[in-house]
Amino acid sequence: MGAQQVAERFTELYGTRPEGVWAAPGRVNLIGEHTDYNDGFVMPFALPHQAVAAVSRRDDGILRLHSADIEGGVAELRLDALAPQSDPNWTAYPAGVAWALREAGHQVTGADVHLSSTVPTGAGLSSSAALEVVIALALNDLYELGLRRWKLARLCQRAENVYVGAPTGIMDQTASSCCEQGHALFLDTRDLSQQQIPFDLAAEGLRLLVVDTQVKHAHSGGEYGKRRAGCEKGAALLGVDALRDIPYAELDAALALLGDEEEIVRLVRHVVSEDHRVERVVGLLSSGETRAIGPVLTEGHTSLRDDFRISCPELDLVVDTALSAGALGARMTGGGFGGSAIVLAESTDVETLTKATEEAFAAAGFTTPRIFEAVPSRGAHRVI
Ligand code: ADP
Ligand code: MG
């Protein structure tokens, strides 16, 4: 939905024009999976899909929320009654942002919000971060809080971790908040230092496809927690603050130290080699060798499938089919156990790849996947 339509719907709902309209995108992660809670490297870029919110201030401590994408009327919440993990509904995301801002001492006295989003939910494309960041940016502008982009991302992460109660790293919110058009964001999740890496695929005759398998396997929440705990145990056994502190050159020695801790060995091998893959991709893109990142992406998938064990038959089928149909590289992206995969391909191969993937899914009896092109787009911004 366009910004103008969102503004008009706001006026219908609340009887006044909104003070402004903001947008914040979903993201895909090019490489660097399950590294963000290990203080490591990630490399997301923003999608053209975004959450758009029309927002006005209020001075009576009331937050009114409405989403065009959810059945139901306007939710009305009192800011001074907001309490972490008390709201099982979608409203917890925007309310959590207002809560996190107020908790950090910022003067936010209420808001009317109407929003609409084109980011598919639960597809590993971070519709939740888009929703948080669009609200954070709107409140930051309207209340003139002067918070920098990385700081807004931190507050949104806090909203999701503490208020909603979902354990996530810092990548999603930073991507939505800080990405730039035509670039991927090389982010060090330890100190939040960032580098915008030019990533203009179309100029090189390349495309990046997102294949949303539309599956979400039920055990994903608990498995995320187990991987996270396993990584922390690995770091403790190796005597480092986080797995990020194991240099790639010392990986074999570290694995030897872990001895017969099979499970931990596999987790450590993934995280340390994945950080190294991010650095390799940064190096290749910086020297203009875009096609050469394909095999690095595929290596990442193998590591997630065999060592980290968070793939699923649908994601493996996307990768296997794409590679046999001529893709340069492919991998699952996001948390795992469903969601989306990405495929790097020559522009001229897109039609063949799309058809091959749809046919393979039909033959396997899987739900038809949603396939679209991911063009590196701009991060959060004010529209009106
Ligand atoms: P992901 O971030 O991978 O899409 P999450 O489970 O983290 O998946 O977040 C999805 C949740 O975010 C939805 O269940 C809903 O509560 C909220 N959400 C996302 N988009 C919207 C929207 N347009 N309107 C209302 N709530 C939304
Ligand atoms: Mg999410």
Side-chain angles (χ1 to χ4, degrees):
M1 205 184 285
Q4 204 59 52
Q5 278 167 290
V6 173
E8 280 163 21
R9 183 78 179 108
F10 179 103
T11 307
E12 281 170 28
L13 281 167
Y14 298 116
T16 56
R17 291 168 63 80
E19 288 185 87
V21 178
W22 289 260
R27 60 97 189 98
V28 284
N29 191 20
L30 183 61
I31 188 80
E33 217 64 79
H34 287 265
T35 48
D36 66 348
Y37 52 83
N38 291 295
D39 276 4
F41 303 129
V42 294
M43 205 177 178
F45 64 87
L47 289 170
H49 306 67
Q50 55 188 15
V52 177
V55 185
S56 286
R57 281 170 292 182
R58 298 175 66 94
D59 58 12
D60 59 357
I62 300 285
L63 182 61
R64 293 199 290 181
L65 301 167
H66 186 263
S67 167
D69 312 312
I70 302 276
E71 296 271 327
V74 174
E76 191 167 314
L77 310 170
R78 282 184 34 165
L79 287 175
D80 59 11
L82 297 180
Q85 298 189 43
S86 60
D87 181 358
N89 303 310
W90 72 274
T91 45
Y93 294 89
V97 172
W99 172 85
L101 284 166
R102 282 164 57 88
E103 257 242 328
H106 302 293
Q107 176 91 2
V108 173
T109 54
D112 286 338
V113 175
H114 167 66
L115 64 93
S116 174
S117 177
T118 53
V119 187
T121 57
L125 303 174
S126 235
S127 68
S128 60
L131 183 51
E132 292 150 12
V133 170
V134 79
I135 300 298
L137 186 64
L139 295 176
N140 187 48
D141 284 357
L142 288 174
Y143 282 99
E144 297 179 2
L145 304 178
L147 295 165
R148 308 260 309 273
R149 292 302 179 106
W150 68 266
K151 184 70 188 170
L152 290 178
R154 266 278 186 242
L155 288 163
C156 289
Q157 183 199 17
R158 188 164 158 71
E160 186 149 351
N161 290 173
V162 181
Y163 193 87
V164 177
T168 59
I170 188 67
M171 168 171 68
D172 299 348
Q173 293 83 3
T174 309
S176 185
S177 187
C178 302
C179 277
E180 288 178 11
Q181 190 159 12
H183 292 76
L185 179 73
F186 175 34
L187 175 70
D188 180 336
T189 64
R190 170 163 279 170
D191 63 6
L192 298 189
S193 60
Q194 323 181 343
Q195 212 180 320
Q196 301 286 344
I197 309 290
F199 190 51
D200 184 359
L201 292 166
E204 301 199 50
L206 295 172
R207 294 282 186 277
L208 201 124
L209 300 179
V210 173
V211 181
D212 172 8
T213 64
Q214 311 217 54
V215 298
K216 188 80 201 160
H217 294 288
H219 54 295
S220 57
E223 294 293 327
Y224 177 92
K226 273 194 222 162
R227 299 300 183 287
R228 203 169 166 150
C231 289
E232 280 161 18
K233 184 173 172 197
L237 288 171
L238 292 167
V240 291
D241 286 345
L243 292 182
R244 141 71 179 282
D245 294 312
I246 311 289
Y248 182 69
E250 289 166 27
L251 175 58
D252 287 342
L255 297 182
L257 275 178
L258 290 169
D260 56 5
E261 290 270 5
E262 263 301 315
E263 177 78 23
I264 307 292
V265 162
R266 285 192 282 100
L267 298 179
V268 171
R269 187 162 52 213
H270 168 72
V271 172
V272 176
S273 65
E274 185 79 351
D275 271 338
H276 186 56
R277 279 185 285 275
V278 178
E279 294 183 293
R280 284 161 67 200
V281 167
V282 170
L284 289 166
L285 290 179
S286 303
S287 58
E289 297 168 84
T290 309
R291 283 174 174 75
I293 74 170
V296 188
L297 302 185
T298 306
E299 267 176 47
H301 184 77
T302 307
S303 178
L304 289 164
R305 185 191 63 201
D306 300 343
D307 272 344
F308 223 65
R309 300 196 184 173
I310 55 167
S311 189
C312 65
E314 292 86 351
L315 290 168
D316 291 340
L317 186 63
V318 176
V319 171
D320 293 344
T321 308
L323 294 174
S324 10
L328 296 164
R331 62 180 285 268
M332 55 155 286
T333 182
F337 305 107
S340 302
I342 54 173
V343 176
L344 180 70
E346 302 288 347
S347 308
T348 45
D349 288 340
V350 165
E351 230 171 278
T352 318
L353 280 167
T354 304
K355 199 158 165 271
T357 307
E358 285 168 355
E359 283 173 3
F361 268 61
F366 294 156
T367 309
T368 312
R370 272 172 25 98
I371 304 177
F372 60 89
E373 189 190 334
V375 181
S377 301
R378 51 189 303 209
H381 58 280
R382 187 169 189 159
V383 189
I384 296 175

